[in-house]
Amino acid sequence: MEFFTAGAIATLAVTKVIEKTSEIFTEKVVEEAGKLMQLLKRKSPDTASAIELAAQHPELVERQPEDYGQAVLVEKVESAAKSDSEIALAVQALADAVKSQPQTSQNITNMAEKIYGNIQGGFNPNLTQNF
């Protein structure tokens, strides 16, 4: 059984917050997404730039998946989190905020399943990440 990592959840959530989709996010999710993006801009500017471009220009995800696909963005966020404990904490805080909002949590699960295929089990209830 596979589970979505905190990095995957955080990346999908921050992308949707930047896109300002019709998704209804709690103030906490928006706040944590903003904190993560500020950290990424400061400590991993290439990652932040890629997330912003993908969110603002969704066609890039399909035209250049090797640079802007969700799976690539997740890898970049997870790599940044592994190399920086402050980013790791922000990723986990955003994942926890998403997890605490049941409707958003389900929508993020649905998006992740589309990206990663039909994954049994959905979210890991513990959402622990080996940073």
Side-chain angles (χ1 to χ4, degrees), residues 7-47:
I9 296 164
T11 303
L12 291 168
V14 78
T15 301
K16 293 300 172 190
V17 168
I18 291 170
E19 285 177 359
K20 296 180 181 166
T21 61
S22 60
E23 182 76 40
I24 305 294
F25 291 106
T26 62
E27 221 175 285
K28 185 70 173 166
V29 170
V30 174
E31 178 185 322
E32 295 299 337
K35 287 179 184 177
L36 175 58
M37 281 305 295
Q38 288 304 313
L39 277 172
L40 290 173
K41 285 178 182 179
R42 197 172 81 239
K43 296 184 172 200
S44 185
D46 291 342
T47 300

Side-chain angles (χ1 to χ4, degrees), residues 4 8-9 11-17 19 21 23 25 70-71 98 103-117 119 123:
F4 302 119
I9 296 164
T11 303
L12 291 168
V14 78
T15 301
K16 293 300 172 190
V17 168
E19 285 177 359
T21 61
E23 182 76 40
F25 291 106
Q70 286 293 335
V98 168
Q103 183 61 42
T104 298
S105 182
Q106 184 59 50
N107 290 345
I108 296 290
T109 297
N110 293 341
M111 283 186 284
E113 285 176 352
K114 287 178 187 173
I115 294 165
Y116 297 108
I119 298 175
F123 286 112

